[in-house]
Amino acid sequence: MITVASIVSAIIIMFPVFTRHFVEPRNGLYMLTKQANSYVFVGVLYLVICQISLVRNKHEMPKAVQHSCMISLPGLLLAVLYQIYFPNTYLMGAAISLPYVFWYFTFHAFHFDEIIGCQNYDAESTFLHKLFVKKKQYFFASVGFPELKRRDLGKIESIKTYVGNDICRRVESINRTVRIYKVDDFHYQMIAPIQDDQDYIHIKNQFLEIMNKEVVHDNNTYAPVKNMLISRSFNCIDDEFEYEAFIRIQEKRFLNLKKNEIIEISEADAEKYKRNAVIEKALLDIKRQNCLDDSRVDVYVQPIYSIEQKSFQTGEALMRLLINDEMYFPDEFIPIAEEISCIHMLTRIMLHKVSQKVAEMSKFRCFEALTVNVSTMELTEPGVSDEFLNIIRETGCLPNQIRIEITESTIITNYDVIIENIIKLKEQGVYFYLDDFGTGYSNIDRIITIPFSTIKFDKSLLYKALEEKNSEELFILLAQFFKRKGIKLVMEGVEDEHQKEYIEKIGFDYIQGYFYSKPVKIGMVDDFYNEKK
């Protein structure tokens, strides 16, 4: 409507300028002829009809279109009327119309959807920036319609447009400050400035009430499946770019949502994001620095007790990150390191530092080896075995004094390459441990195929065996089975005398847990091993 109104009125008013048949000289001035005035009156009639249609259908139109039309149509109408009563001022009439035509093209330059009433995703950053500059609080919601992506859904174009239009009109009714943005045909976001917590709760409840209503389309009631994410402004988020990155990460949780499930983001989520951002920045810098002695990678060791020799013989090296004097644990940074391809750098640093300590300690202490955890992803790379051996040997450490721990559940792809790297390292004396056996589905055939020298039973197996008879029978059966295959067994998580005696009775070779020692800094681990005579 605004398109036709702007162009028609501009043509009507400007036509006399370019057509001699519609102007005539009077008293030394060029004025509109009667023929021209008839066209002008048609323009007046058309603008009046547009204005009436606007008033009657305003509840079905986007607010931005309503406001634009309510401003521009009366202005255009006044310009045309002025032209009628002052026919010698048609040039001024053209000057009035041109800004409206210019406004129309500018309006569309921002990719505004006239039907649904949303601006595009880029406009959201601009509005968020204003809110951050003014330090205003706001309510945020993100809504996805995964069901509308189905290709077998009849009349998909019609339905997705109507659903978007219907819901956007309802959301706009919450208050006049609501802004709606279209990410794509199946995904919308909204922002509404708020004053306080009570205002947030009020808008949230209104929004959820709107989302729970059904949509009527072609006389059919339609309740599209919705994935919803609700948030607000957080003091720990510094700017609009950080907030948008935070939301993009949270929206990944859409993939795991059930039908019509809602995620409400909390302050704790925002703080976790900030914490993860600190970790990510540090990991990327560690990778960029490429220094095997990087002090931010801190090494702890948990000694492992040999039942046969009745002394500590091995130990598991555990990684920590020190960032701005704060310690971060593996469950926080390992998933991030794997996601941003920094895990291999961390492994290289750990292997270097542990090998250095082993080379130093082997001169004065009696022990078998220290173990280092390695991501199975790294073993899928051809030639990684040679790289590991070079790092070990450069420190003066013997390869048979280093053990590598991997988790069987992560051995999914490139199985042949993994086996090749394991065999190469084993031939040089680097033996492999299977870590966390029993934490998930384990393929016994695969475990036997891979040349593991030692299997570490997860503490959950021990706890279940002590509580349930059936679990105990399976626990003992597995231990006996691996022992017959010549595999050494380590029991993790032993915390008291009763557990220790039980493990010894079953026939395990090593014990690891708080009963003997918590993890200690690698510089303090020497005292756990006997001195050489």
Side-chain angles (χ1 to χ4, degrees):
M1 180 174 65
I2 186 61
T3 305
V4 179
S6 298
I7 295 176
V8 168
S9 59
I11 292 174
I12 289 172
I13 297 175
M14 296 176 65
F15 199 72
V17 180
F18 306 106
T19 310
R20 297 285 297 176
H21 297 289
F22 286 84
V23 294
E24 60 183 7
R26 294 182 202 167
N27 301 323
L29 297 173
Y30 282 100
M31 296 187 179
L32 295 180
T33 64
K34 292 181 179 180
Q35 188 177 1
N37 281 327
S38 64
Y39 279 89
V40 175
F41 280 113
V42 171
V44 172
L45 179 62
Y46 182 80
L47 290 171
V48 170
I49 293 173
C50 287
Q51 190 68 33
I52 294 172
S53 177
L54 170 66
V55 174
R56 293 189 61 181
N57 299 286
K58 65 179 182 178
H59 296 296
E60 299 176 8
M61 298 174 61
K63 279 188 177 180
V65 176
Q66 289 180 43
H67 297 161
S68 301
C69 291
M70 291 177 71
I71 294 172
S72 60
L73 290 180
L76 291 170
L77 182 59
L78 289 174
V80 174
L81 291 174
Y82 190 85
Q83 183 76 78
I84 293 173
Y85 286 103
F86 300 95
N88 61 326
T89 58
Y90 54 86
L91 289 177
M92 187 182 75
I96 293 173
S97 298
L98 283 173
Y100 289 111
V101 176
F102 174 77
W103 165 86
Y104 170 74
F105 289 108
T106 303
F107 180 74
H108 279 271
F110 290 102
H111 306 293
F112 189 91
D113 190 317
E114 288 183 342
I115 304 300
I116 297 179
C118 303
Q119 285 184 277
N120 68 355
Y121 187 56
D122 295 333
E124 185 179 61
S125 296
T126 303
F127 186 58
L128 278 173
H129 176 72
K130 293 178 181 178
L131 294 174
F132 273 98
V133 169
K134 296 179 180 179
K135 297 182 179 180
K136 286 190 175 182
Q137 300 183 61
Y138 54 87
F139 169 87
F140 175 90
S142 180
V143 186
F145 299 96
E147 190 180 31
L148 295 184
K149 294 183 180 181
R150 286 172 45 192
R151 294 184 180 275
D152 60 332
L153 191 63
K155 299 181 180 179
I156 184 68
E157 291 298 325
S158 173
I159 291 176
K160 73 183 182 184
T161 300
Y162 192 86
V163 168
N165 183 60
D166 182 81
I167 290 178
C168 288
R169 296 295 73 70
R170 294 181 188 180
V171 169
E172 282 182 343
S173 68
I174 293 176
N175 64 45
R176 63 183 182 82
T177 63
V178 171
R179 302 287 185 96
I180 307 171
Y181 302 92
K182 181 178 178 181
V183 181
D184 56 45
D185 288 337
F186 316 101
H187 186 187
Y188 298 86
Q189 294 180 351
M190 66 160 284
I191 301 174
I194 58 175
Q195 299 298 323
D196 49 34
D197 292 346
Q198 187 175 357
D199 202 12
Y200 168 77
I201 294 171
H202 176 68
I203 292 180
K204 181 185 75 172
N205 291 337
Q206 283 186 298
F207 174 77
L208 293 178
E209 183 180 351
I210 289 170
M211 289 296 115
N212 289 329
K213 290 181 179 179
E214 296 178 331
V215 176
V216 179
H217 179 59
D218 289 342
N219 297 320
N220 294 317
T221 300
Y222 185 63
V225 174
K226 297 175 285 292
N227 292 337
M228 290 179 279
L229 182 145
I230 295 173
S231 174
R232 61 174 304 166
S233 49
F234 299 110
N235 293 330
C236 62
I237 303 293
D238 297 326
D239 55 45
E240 69 274 16
F241 303 110
E242 188 175 27
Y243 187 80
E244 288 177 333
F246 168 61
I247 290 298
R248 281 195 296 271
I249 290 175
Q250 298 302 315
E251 285 180 337
K252 291 180 181 179
R253 296 159 67 180
F254 274 174
L255 301 174
N256 300 319
L257 288 183
K258 298 178 181 178
K259 184 177 180 179
N260 292 332
E261 194 170 349
I262 303 169
I263 296 174
E264 184 167 6
I265 303 174
S266 65
E267 187 81 34
D269 293 319
E271 290 173 353
K272 182 180 179 181
Y273 166 77
K274 290 285 289 187
R275 189 173 175 87
N276 288 348
V278 171
I279 294 173
E280 181 176 330
K281 181 180 179 181
L283 289 173
L284 291 172
D285 188 60
I286 289 171
K287 183 178 180 180
R288 183 181 63 83
Q289 296 283 349
N290 192 29
C291 175
L292 296 182
D293 291 307
D294 198 306
S295 60
R296 288 169 291 186
V297 180
D298 204 9
V299 184
Y300 280 67
V301 175
Q302 186 170 29
I304 298 176
Y305 184 80
S306 170
I307 296 174
E308 181 183 357
Q309 299 189 35
K310 300 187 184 304
S311 63
F312 293 102
Q313 289 296 315
T314 63
E316 179 182 2
L318 303 168
M319 190 183 342
R320 306 286 187 261
L321 279 187
L322 286 176
I323 307 172
N324 300 326
D325 297 326
E326 185 175 0
M327 181 179 290
Y328 294 80
F329 290 86
D331 59 337
E332 284 187 285
F333 63 81
I334 292 297
I336 300 173
E338 290 180 336
E339 184 178 349
I340 62 176
S341 301
C342 290
I343 191 67
H344 186 56
M345 186 66 221
L346 295 181
T347 300
R348 291 173 60 225
I349 294 173
M350 281 292 291
L351 198 58
H352 171 75
K353 291 189 174 185
V354 172
S355 297
Q356 273 188 330
K357 183 61 181 178
V358 168
E360 171 198 325
M361 200 165 58
S362 61
K363 299 175 183 177
F364 311 104
R365 300 287 173 175
C366 296
F367 67 99
E368 295 175 12
L370 293 183
T371 69
V372 177
N373 288 277
V374 173
S375 169
T376 312
M377 294 170 54
E378 299 173 74
L379 295 174
T380 63
E381 297 295 328
V384 75
S385 56
D386 294 329
E387 183 181 13
F388 285 170
L389 286 169
N390 289 335
I391 293 173
I392 294 169
R393 287 168 175 155
E394 284 173 358
T395 63
C397 175
L398 298 176
N400 62 5
Q401 293 179 307
I402 295 294
R403 306 283 189 264
I404 290 179
E405 295 189 20
I406 61 174
T407 303
E408 185 266 338
S409 61
T410 59
I411 304 174
I412 301 173
T413 59
N414 295 336
Y415 180 71
D416 293 338
V417 179
I418 292 174
I419 294 298
E420 182 182 346
N421 281 316
I422 290 176
I423 291 174
K424 282 184 178 180
L425 287 164
K426 186 177 180 181
E427 288 174 348
Q428 299 299 317
V430 179
Y431 290 96
F432 277 76
Y433 286 20
L434 173 62
D435 193 20
D436 295 333
F437 174 74
T439 54
Y441 173 78
S442 293
N443 187 324
I444 299 296
D445 180 64
R446 175 170 286 183
I447 292 173
I448 298 302
T449 303
I450 299 173
F452 289 115
S453 65
T454 305
I455 292 179
K456 301 179 74 173
F457 277 50
D458 186 74
K459 62 183 180 181
S460 61
L461 291 177
L462 171 62
Y463 298 161
K464 289 179 181 177
L466 292 171
E467 293 174 357
E468 303 173 4
K469 186 65 177 177
N470 291 337
S471 296
E472 181 182 23
E473 292 176 358
L474 178 60
F475 181 68
I476 295 173
L477 183 64
L478 287 169
Q480 292 174 344
F481 172 78
F482 290 127
K483 290 285 287 183
R484 287 197 298 270
K485 296 293 182 180
I487 298 174
K488 299 287 186 180
L489 301 182
V490 179
M491 187 67 245
E492 298 178 303
V494 176
E495 297 181 351
D496 57 43
E497 184 71 31
H498 173 62
Q499 293 175 351
K500 168 184 169 293
E501 292 176 354
Y502 180 75
I503 291 305
E504 289 177 344
K505 184 176 68 174
I506 290 177
F508 274 72
D509 301 286
Y510 300 94
I511 295 176
Q512 178 180 355
Y514 282 8
F515 177 73
Y516 286 108
S517 174
K518 295 181 179 180
V520 298
K521 289 184 73 69
I522 194 169
M524 301 170 59
V525 76
D526 306 56
D527 295 338
F528 287 88
Y529 303 106
N530 295 330
E531 291 186 5
K532 284 186 175 181
K533 296 181 181 179

